Amino acid sequence: MNEPTGDVELKRSVGLFGLILYGLGVTIGAGIYVLVGETVVRAGQNAPAAFLLSAIVMAFTAGSFAELSGRVPKAAGEAVYVEEAFGWPWLTIAVGLGIIFEAMIAAAAIALGAAGYLGELVPLPGEILVAAVVILMSGVAIWGIRETVVIAGAMTLIEVVGLLIIIGAGLGRDPGVMAALPSSVLIPMGDWAVAAGVISASLIAFFAYIGFDDVVNLVEETRNPRRTMPWAIGLTLVIVTVLYVLVSFVTAQLIPVDALEGTNAPISLVFEQLTGLPPLAITLVAILATTNGVGIVIVMAARVAYGMAREGRLPAWLGKVSPRTRTPVRATVLVAAVVLGMAFAAPLDVLAETTSEVLLAIFFLVNAALVALKLRKVPMAEGVFVVPLVVPVLGALLCVMLLVAGQLAG
């Protein structure tokens, strides 16, 4: 491989459809295929409420990301947003390292989920399967961003079809079950034990939404990012919320909780019990979904490290781009190595909950950054998508409330 040089820039080759597929790929792969079982175990028939609560918190933060991606169109999104707003190098570095840390934990958690599905078909130790997934998807990430997005897009379409089959099978098995949907998306505030389960589950469900924020880290590789990025963020969030609520609903209504507690491949179990068919096909889809999620999160973490290095906040060698692949190879290799270490060190639920807690703290700072920029009336380029001040204010408050409530419920 040719020696990377510092003057090579990322290639702008991703459009709206590619961004949406990228966002859906990491979000769906990180979420419903891995964590639907744990969410239903914690929240029971109110599991859809946990996903909806997380989506509401995310919606306000998504609005803030949509504006900030236009105000500060650089990779390493969260870190440079905080830098632009507050100008405190220590806080910028802390946020950047936090988002890289969160991404690597998330990739480790998804890799464990992928190994769980692979283990249904391949009789090898989990550690070997985890390593195979991480190494394979790191190679794809190094290959090139356009290739990564194309592969991720194809895999994402398959993931979505798999979820639609499960939703259709569940509703077809008992069409009358839809009558329970309105009550299942509400938190039963009169019953603290149930409400606490929903809130606790929402921290796990929140992990299932990591993805729309990853989209902003491709801003330097996106065509016309000021127009494209807000649409990509919003559409990603809406699509995954509908899918998550419906999948968790049919699962909670029709699958026994004790069955979900004992499986490493929850979607395969749900498919088999709802359709009566062998789970091989959906297991293969789940393997695609989770390995896709690993690859996309590695791409995001490497882009954040690259962006911080280019801003002088991390060692300069991490900001080098290979002239052959036009990707940050060094940052990608380092991220993949740490992901492997984390996957070997902690169980899935601990990784997922830790990811959610770190992400909520970072999202609070992102919302606070937009509040600061708006109050100072910092000039911005023409054509930037703008949200009212109340959006980042509520986004910050909701992040704190969910974080505190999750700690109390836990």
Side-chain angles (χ1 to χ4, degrees), residues 138-389:
S138 300
V140 174
I142 288 170
W143 184 16
I145 188 59
R146 190 169 186 275
E147 291 79 7
T148 301
V149 169
V150 168
I151 291 171
M155 295 169 82
T156 298
L157 291 174
I158 296 171
E159 297 166 26
V160 172
V161 169
L163 295 181
L164 291 175
I165 290 172
I166 286 174
I167 293 168
L171 298 181
R173 175 174 164 179
D174 183 4
V177 78
M178 283 297 291
L181 181 60
S183 61
S184 72
V185 298
L186 300 176
I187 301 176
M189 301 308 296
D191 187 337
W192 170 245
V194 176
V198 172
I199 294 170
S200 174
S202 70
L203 272 181
I204 293 291
F206 192 83
F207 177 92
Y209 284 94
I210 61 171
F212 84 82
D213 56 303
D214 293 357
V215 172
V216 301
N217 293 298
L218 295 186
V219 68
E220 292 186 31
E221 294 159 281
T222 300
R223 300 188 298 270
N224 195 3
R226 287 193 175 95
R227 181 179 65 84
T228 304
M229 197 61 68
W231 280 103
I233 292 170
L235 289 171
T236 297
L237 185 58
V238 169
I239 293 169
V240 297
T241 299
V242 172
L243 290 172
Y244 285 1
V245 167
L246 291 176
V247 171
S248 63
F249 173 70
V250 298
T251 300
Q253 293 291 323
L254 301 173
I255 306 299
V257 172
D258 57 352
L260 292 167
E261 284 181 321
T263 180
N264 292 321
I267 285 292
S268 296
L269 172 71
V270 172
F271 177 85
E272 184 176 19
Q273 293 209 9
L274 291 181
T275 66
L277 299 173
L280 175 60
I282 200 67
T283 298
L284 292 173
V285 171
I287 291 169
L288 287 177
T290 48
T291 54
N292 190 25
V294 171
I296 294 176
V297 176
I298 287 174
V299 167
M300 184 274 285
R303 286 335 184 256
V304 175
Y306 155 84
M308 290 185 67
R310 298 289 278 222
E311 294 292 321
R313 303 305 185 193
L314 284 179
W317 65 271
L318 284 172
K320 301 294 184 180
V321 173
S322 166
R324 177 176 296 178
T325 66
R326 302 283 293 273
T327 59
V329 174
R330 295 177 181 182
T332 303
V333 171
L334 178 62
V335 165
V338 178
V339 167
L340 271 178
M342 288 180 169
F344 294 154
L348 174 61
D349 59 340
V350 172
L351 289 169
E353 195 159 342
T354 303
T355 301
S356 296
E357 292 169 351
V358 173
L359 200 59
L360 280 167
I362 292 171
F363 283 179
F364 166 79
L365 289 171
V366 168
N367 283 295
L370 183 55
V371 170
L373 291 172
K374 284 179 172 291
L375 291 179
R376 284 167 32 211
K377 299 183 178 178
V378 174
M380 56 185 170
E382 193 174 332
V384 171
F385 176 83
V386 176
V387 296
L389 178 61

Side-chain angles (χ1 to χ4, degrees), residues 34-43 201 204 260 266 349:
V34 177
L35 296 169
V36 64
E38 181 65 25
T39 305
V40 173
V41 167
R42 293 193 182 198
I204 293 291
L260 292 167
D349 59 340

